[in-house]
Amino acid sequence: GQQVMQIPQYQHVQEGEDFTTYCNSSTTLSNIQWYKQRPGGHPVFLIQLVKSGEVKKQKRLTFQFGEAKKNSSLHITATQTTDVGTYFCAAPDLNSGGSNYKLTFGKGTLLTVNP
Amino acid sequence: DAGVIQSPRHEVTEMGQEVTLRCKPISGHDYLFWYRQTMMRGLELLIYFNNNVPIDDSGMPEDRFSAKMPNASFSTLKIQPSEPRDSAVYFCASSLATGVYSYGYTFGSGTRLTVV
């Protein structure tokens, strides 16, 4: 089935530094979603990107969808300790008769922040 | 709305026992998903329902796993018999289709299953 590859797997930063995680697919995606999971918690939906080249911002978080709709990124400016967690991208798996409603999740990027 | 509600939060059981996980989706959501999360394999989709009908169960590991959704407000995931390799966090999620795509999933707090 379709896979979305995320890099890096882990990222440790000093508080105040920026952070970026990348999500790549070998096939064109209809849309991509981003989730955050705090340690011991459950994934929480952050945003959905649909259009080619789309850029959306949520306070210090900036989400981008590539022009070819095969990659996406999440950038956090001036990280805080509250940003700690695993960030997942997720995209519909349209292979093998899949649908736009069935998401395949990347393996995630674990962000730790040193205060 | 209380969100997606899962029970129990933690389950410890002996190998060979039957385990039943429960989920109450958000009212009005028409899709329900069961995921399993482990360190090695990440988040894996086991099965999903649309309007209470199972659509895709290709992720269910084997016949020991079964899932039902008897009505719009309740779903169960059953493992019988359970094995140590089933130990994982099981998440239920629901979503609402809005035209072409579903909007973001709302996950429950999960059930941490340990089979000894």
Side-chain angles (χ1 to χ4, degrees):
Chain A
Q2 172 181 281
Q3 287 188 338
V4 284
M5 308 301 293
Q6 267 191 268
I7 54 171
Q9 194 174 359
Y10 307 97
Q11 184 78 59
H12 177 74
V13 299
Q14 289 291 128
E15 189 171 23
E17 292 182 339
D18 291 357
F19 159 77
T20 305
T21 174
Y22 301 90
C23 187
N24 299 297
S25 170
S26 59
T27 60
T28 302
L29 304 172
S30 59
N31 69 91
I32 195 161
Q33 301 183 13
W34 286 91
Y35 292 76
K36 176 184 178 181
Q37 183 176 21
R38 286 198 162 98
H42 57 276
V44 174
F45 173 72
L46 295 176
I47 209 160
Q48 181 183 55
L49 304 172
V50 176
K51 299 176 183 176
S52 168
E54 189 169 15
V55 178
K56 288 188 176 180
K57 293 190 176 185
Q58 291 179 350
K59 297 182 180 178
R60 295 177 295 103
L61 277 60
T62 302
F63 304 84
Q64 292 189 334
F65 203 8
E67 292 289 342
K69 299 182 74 172
K70 289 186 176 181
N71 56 73
S72 180
S73 65
L74 158 58
H75 179 83
I76 303 178
T77 303
T79 55
Q80 300 176 358
T81 54
T82 53
D83 296 325
V84 164
T86 301
Y87 292 85
F88 294 96
C89 63
D93 182 357
L94 299 180
N95 292 330
S96 305
S99 79
N100 268 318
Y101 308 114
K102 170 186 170 182
L103 295 180
T104 297
F105 282 76
K107 290 287 170 56
T109 297
L110 173 61
L111 170 66
T112 56
V113 180
N114 196 31
Chain B
D1 199 325
V4 176
I5 300 173
Q6 288 187 247
S7 64
R9 288 296 307 274
H10 302 274
E11 177 81 33
V12 180
T13 191
E14 291 186 346
M15 182 173 63
Q17 296 297 306
E18 177 179 295
V19 175
T20 300
L21 312 180
R22 297 172 176 79
C23 175
K24 176 179 167 54
I26 290 176
S27 176
H29 280 191
D30 51 358
Y31 281 84
L32 183 139
F33 306 85
W34 282 100
Y35 280 83
R36 176 171 69 175
Q37 186 176 41
T38 60
M39 288 293 293
M40 289 297 295
R41 300 174 69 89
L43 274 164
E44 299 175 276
L45 177 64
L46 300 177
I47 185 171
Y48 77 98
F49 296 82
N50 175 219
N51 292 324
N52 315 337
V53 176
I55 302 300
D56 184 348
D57 65 355
S58 60
M60 297 284 260
E62 48 198 273
D63 292 344
R64 297 185 297 106
F65 286 68
S66 63
K68 294 182 180 179
M69 192 166 185
N71 57 62
S73 58
F74 185 65
S75 177
T76 60
L77 177 68
K78 187 175 293 187
I79 308 172
Q80 165 64 20
S82 57
E83 296 182 3
R85 59 193 167 122
D86 301 331
S87 297
V89 180
Y90 291 80
F91 287 107
C92 174
S94 70
S95 74
L96 178 65
T98 56
V100 178
Y101 314 112
S102 75
Y103 200 56
Y105 291 3
T106 301
F107 282 80
S109 297
T111 295
R112 181 173 295 277
L113 173 65
T114 304
V115 183
V116 298

